[in-house]
Amino acid sequence: MSSRGDNPIKNAEQDRLQRREGARSVAADIRELDASEGYVVGVVGPWGSGKTSIVNMIRESLEVAPAVPIVEFNPWIFSGTDELVESFFRELSAQMRLKEPKVAAIADAVDTYGDLLSPASAIPIVGAWFDRVRGSAKALKAYQERRKGSVAQQRDKLAKELNQLTVPIVVIIDDIDRLESSEIRDIFKLVRLTASFPNVVYLLAFDRARVEDALSQSGFDGRAYLEKIVQLGVDVPVIADSSMLRVLGESLDEALGGLDATARFDADAWPDVLMEIIRPLITNLRDVNRFAAAVRAKARTLGSQIELADLMGLEAIRVFLPDVFSAIVAGRDALTATSPGFDSSHNDPVLKAQVESIIAAGGSHPDVVRAALVRLFPAARRHLDNNNYGSSWLPAWLKARRVAHPDVLAMYLEHTTNEGLKAFNAAEQAFEVLDDEASLDALLRSFDVAALEDVIAALQAFEADFPTTAVVSASRVLLNLLPELPDRPQGMFGFINARVVVARVVLRLLRRLDTPEQVMAATEDVLAGVSSLSSRFEIVTLVGHREGAGQKLVSEADSKSLENKLRLQIEAATPEQLAQERDLLRLLYLPKRYDGGQVVHADAGNSTLAKAVLLNSQSVVRSQAMGNRAVHRTTRLNWDMLVEIFGGEDEVERALDTVRASADEDLTSVIELADKYLKGWRPSDWGDD
């Protein structure tokens, strides 16, 4: 899984909330600021709203030529005003020495000014500072020399040198609101002390309410104090509900990629669990990431042994309402005990009290807790609304692996391990031989093919340690395995399948290379050892420039060259070769997509090819009725593409006649649907049959 967990995004490519343009605008403002007397910019938002992510995108834009020198200061590792001042200037000068010559030349002046502002107790005679400086007499003499001159003189000298810069230095201080109140005040004292230096721009990230409260504790008007320091405030945009749901869905889909947990998923129950239990508890992106990570961890452990909608509903309670979760653990009997009869007077008062305790633990979220009881634990409804579920329901709950069954709830709470951990262990073995093509191929083929997708997906955990020597060998093995991986139901929130899982790992392998030329050379080596045209299509698309699909890992000219070679290979393939391809329809249509040419026509009289094309023409459409959250799925044919590939509806009909006599169950359903199309039937825009 490539999810970032609780970490902020690093660059604009990872931006899922369309905030990159705003960040670029702030970066442009910083470049154009009149920083002749310094400047302070504040990125302001509540905890978890994405301040650090925005700061990272601002930094990324500032690093684009002409790059702006950036210095980062982490106040977390220091405490107290004295240490903070000394460490700030020491860190500032150290990072400046790593910048361009003009900036590096100012580092000594920064050091000297910092020494003058540091207290006398910082003189290296005893303590850790002294231990780091060998030769106390020499160190003391050097330190005394540097302290000669007044603070005003050194300030003027430093200001004069800073004034010579053609672009300002941007000093980034993030996570200020996570500090203790006294430390927050120290940071802003430091900023106030140094903010007027020419060509120094502070970029601060903080929660306004938290900082104002900390500043007010010293007897100041915190808001007024803050407004005097921060000259440009940038508020983190509020996340629209639709965007939050979209990102939540994407994160869950990514979290569940490569796991078999989606094999047991109640699509009708999910919308209510999502909107009544999960969504009200999600307030920011950090919540999304925490929740997705928790779901993946639990799903990896339990796999398809627990109904996925139930698992996610309970994980939301565990992560965001821990007191309620503790009450659920304590009152598990009350949640799973079925009614002895339909007379509510037989309700056990102890069990009823346990249910009431669970609701009380919800504090300001009583509606969420009540929804969790209703949706996940129907037996508890007799204590809420006199809705009784007898023991006859238990077999159905057990079959569906609902947590409403006491044994299934016990499985959830006790973390019973299944094949998820086995897949990770297998991936660990594969990583050890990642750069040995023969050994890797033999190892992966030794695993149960049904579990192979999980093993490949688990390889993503080792991304940071992928050796460059494994790029070609591992990519070849994975792409050659792709046609043999069994199809699985697509993800409930998107399109996670074997093709996507393999492509993700190959992409991460290719990204270990430094230049487009290296990627191109590796791609050509991979293609030389991959037999399937569909697998070749995957890597050609992956490294190319196609909108929405390519990662632009090679030059545009090289991308076009790879596409042309693939097109010629497809056109030269025999019908028998084409019939073996996993994504046949896409391959036959590829020449037209690439250069506007003609599709590769399929011979309607060739039963092998005709059958493959027809089976590959199916697609599933999701639809949702008005006032109903349940998502329904219907099968359609990519009819226009099918007609074009066969060369007309008459040829489609001929293809159907060619395969009717030997049709199996899957093909028969396609033939019946195609016959309806030939008679003029077309599905409605609403997904109805």
Side-chain angles (χ1 to χ4, degrees):
M1 170 190 175
S2 60
S3 176
R4 291 172 300 279
D6 199 28
N7 297 322
I9 65 173
K10 300 298 183 183
N11 51 56
E13 283 188 5
Q14 300 172 334
D15 176 32
R16 295 185 291 177
L17 293 174
Q18 289 78 52
R19 289 174 167 179
R20 68 190 70 182
E21 290 305 322
R24 288 169 181 164
S25 177
V26 175
D29 289 341
I30 289 175
R31 290 179 184 272
E32 297 171 0
L33 287 174
D34 177 7
S36 59
E37 295 183 356
Y39 212 89
V40 180
V41 179
V43 176
V44 182
W47 185 85
S49 61
K51 298 185 292 297
T52 300
S53 295
I54 291 176
V55 167
N56 287 341
M57 289 190 288
I58 294 173
R59 179 200 293 107
E60 181 185 31
S61 294
L62 291 174
E63 289 172 343
V64 176
V68 173
I70 296 174
V71 175
E72 295 186 67
F73 180 66
N74 183 0
W76 277 58
I77 58 178
F78 310 108
S79 62
T81 303
D82 295 343
E83 185 181 358
L84 188 67
V85 171
E86 176 192 355
S87 301
F88 173 77
F89 286 104
R90 187 169 63 240
E91 185 70 16
L92 187 64
S93 64
Q95 292 192 39
M96 289 173 68
R97 286 190 172 89
L98 302 177
K99 306 297 180 182
E100 61 179 274
K102 285 185 178 180
V103 177
I106 305 173
D108 287 340
V110 172
D111 258 343
T112 302
Y113 185 67
D115 286 344
L116 289 171
L117 292 180
S118 299
S121 60
I123 296 176
I125 295 179
V126 294
W129 204 96
F130 175 68
D131 291 338
R132 295 196 299 268
V133 182
R134 302 304 179 186
S136 59
K138 183 178 179 180
L140 177 58
K141 182 177 180 180
Y143 181 81
Q144 290 169 334
E145 286 295 322
R146 292 174 64 185
R147 289 184 62 90
K148 287 182 179 179
S150 69
V151 173
Q153 288 174 333
Q154 291 299 330
R155 179 184 177 86
D156 291 343
K157 179 181 178 181
L158 177 56
K160 184 176 180 181
E161 294 192 30
L162 287 168
N163 205 38
Q164 301 302 312
L165 295 176
T166 56
V167 292
I169 299 171
V170 175
V171 180
I172 297 177
I173 307 179
D174 193 6
D175 288 333
I176 297 173
D177 44 35
R178 294 192 181 189
L179 299 171
E180 297 291 336
S181 295
S182 60
E183 294 170 332
I184 291 175
R185 293 193 292 273
D186 290 340
I187 283 289
F188 278 91
K189 288 176 184 177
L190 176 62
V191 172
R192 185 184 63 179
L193 181 68
T194 58
S196 61
F197 276 122
N199 285 323
V200 175
V201 176
Y202 281 94
L203 181 58
L204 313 178
F206 57 88
D207 179 340
R208 181 188 297 276
R210 172 76 181 96
V211 168
E212 287 180 357
D213 179 67
L215 295 176
S216 297
Q217 291 175 20
S218 287
F220 298 107
D221 181 336
R223 178 166 298 182
Y225 187 94
L226 190 60
E227 289 175 352
K228 288 180 181 179
I229 296 176
V230 178
Q231 294 153 282
L232 174 62
V234 179
D235 289 308
V236 175
V238 175
I239 304 175
D241 188 65
S242 58
S243 297
M244 185 71 82
L245 283 172
R246 173 178 55 79
V247 173
L248 176 60
E250 291 172 354
S251 298
L252 288 173
D253 204 10
E254 184 176 8
L256 294 166
L259 304 179
D260 65 351
T262 54
R264 194 181 300 279
F265 181 80
D266 188 341
D268 290 336
W270 166 245
D272 294 323
V273 172
L274 172 64
M275 299 306 296
E276 297 176 15
I277 303 172
I278 299 171
R279 179 62 188 93
L281 299 176
I282 301 285
T283 59
N284 52 53
L285 282 185
R286 183 170 279 110
D287 289 345
V288 171
N289 293 333
R290 287 175 62 205
F291 178 61
V295 167
R296 178 171 178 80
K298 186 70 75 171
R300 174 188 285 166
T301 301
L302 298 177
S304 59
Q305 298 178 79
I306 303 285
E307 157 58 42
L308 184 56
D310 284 8
L311 182 149
M312 290 192 285
L314 272 179
E315 281 301 286
I317 298 296
R318 185 184 67 82
V319 172
F320 302 113
L321 298 176
D323 290 342
V324 174
F325 186 78
S326 296
I328 286 175
V329 174
R332 57 200 292 186
D333 291 342
L335 302 178
T336 57
T338 54
S339 302
F342 291 99
D343 184 356
S344 60
S345 63
H346 293 293
N347 286 348
D348 187 328
V350 174
L351 298 181
K352 182 177 178 64
Q354 289 177 338
V355 170
E356 291 172 346
S357 295
I358 293 171
I359 295 175
S364 60
H365 295 92
D367 292 341
V368 172
V369 179
R370 182 175 287 271
L373 297 182
V374 169
R375 301 298 179 189
L376 306 181
F377 302 106
R381 294 185 61 179
R382 62 184 168 127
H383 305 295
L384 299 173
D385 53 18
N386 293 327
N387 201 328
N388 291 276
Y389 286 78
S391 58
S392 61
W393 284 87
L394 288 173
W397 291 338
L398 181 59
K399 183 179 179 180
R401 296 298 191 272
R402 297 291 310 277
V403 294
H405 192 285
D407 293 343
V408 179
L409 180 59
M411 185 185 301
Y412 168 86
L413 295 175
E414 294 163 11
H415 288 203
T416 304
T417 304
N418 77 336
E419 297 302 317
L421 185 57
K422 292 181 181 178
F424 184 83
N425 291 337
E428 194 169 35
Q429 296 176 49
F431 175 73
E432 293 299 323
V433 295
L434 204 63
D435 56 357
D436 184 335
E437 187 169 351
S439 297
L440 179 63
D441 185 70
L443 177 65
L444 292 178
R445 291 181 185 278
S446 72
F447 298 140
D448 182 356
V449 69
L452 197 50
E453 183 180 325
D454 294 337
V455 176
I456 294 171
L459 276 172
Q460 295 177 81
F462 304 95
E463 174 185 359
D465 299 314
F466 282 166
T468 55
T469 53
V471 172
V472 173
S473 59
S475 296
R476 278 180 178 173
V477 170
L478 295 177
L479 290 169
N480 280 325
L481 280 172
L482 179 56
E484 303 175 32
L485 295 179
D487 290 325
R488 287 181 173 183
Q490 292 179 342
M492 297 300 142
F493 317 98
F495 303 93
I496 299 298
N497 53 32
R499 181 177 64 82
V500 173
V501 168
V502 169
R504 282 178 173 175
V505 178
V506 172
L507 174 61
R508 283 153 177 77
L509 284 163
L510 291 169
R511 280 180 170 166
R512 300 296 291 171
L513 302 177
D514 295 327
T515 67
E517 292 76 18
Q518 290 176 338
V519 175
M520 181 61 181
T523 300
E524 290 179 323
D525 286 345
V526 171
L527 289 169
V530 173
S531 56
S532 163
L533 291 171
S534 297
S535 294
R536 293 178 190 174
F537 176 61
E538 290 302 330
I539 189 170
V540 169
T541 301
L542 197 64
V543 302
H545 287 246
R546 291 288 161 183
E547 187 69 30
Q551 300 297 315
K552 301 180 180 180
L553 300 183
V554 300
S555 70
E556 197 163 359
D558 283 341
S559 172
K560 180 59 91 173
S561 172
L562 292 171
E563 291 175 353
N564 288 336
K565 290 178 182 178
L566 179 60
R567 175 176 56 80
L568 293 174
Q569 292 167 358
I570 294 171
E571 292 172 345
T574 66
E576 289 71 27
Q577 289 173 325
L578 291 173
Q580 301 301 314
E581 294 298 329
R582 187 184 186 101
D583 294 312
L584 180 56
L585 221 63
R586 287 202 306 163
L587 286 178
L588 297 177
Y589 204 78
L590 184 143
K592 182 171 184 177
R593 180 178 290 116
Y594 276 174
D595 53 22
Q598 296 294 316
V599 300
V600 177
H601 289 295
D603 181 2
N606 186 302
S607 61
T608 301
L609 183 57
K611 176 181 177 179
V613 171
L614 289 168
L615 288 172
N616 204 250
S617 68
Q618 301 175 87
S619 62
V620 177
V621 176
R622 297 168 175 81
S623 62
Q624 193 170 20
M626 185 76 71
N628 190 336
R629 296 191 182 112
V631 177
H632 301 281
R633 292 164 177 78
T634 56
T635 301
R636 296 182 179 182
L637 298 180
N638 292 312
W639 185 250
D640 292 339
M641 189 181 295
L642 192 64
V643 170
E644 189 170 0
I645 286 173
F646 276 121
E649 290 196 358
D650 290 343
E651 288 299 296
V652 173
E653 187 170 11
R654 189 163 75 92
L656 296 175
D657 292 339
T658 299
V659 301
R660 282 184 200 276
S662 59
D664 56 16
E665 183 178 348
D666 291 338
L667 186 56
T668 298
S669 64
V670 176
I671 292 173
E672 292 173 352
L673 186 56
D675 284 337
K676 291 175 62 178
Y677 275 86
L678 286 171
K679 293 176 182 178
W681 174 87
R682 294 295 183 272
S684 72
D685 292 337
W686 301 101
D688 299 327
D689 288 339

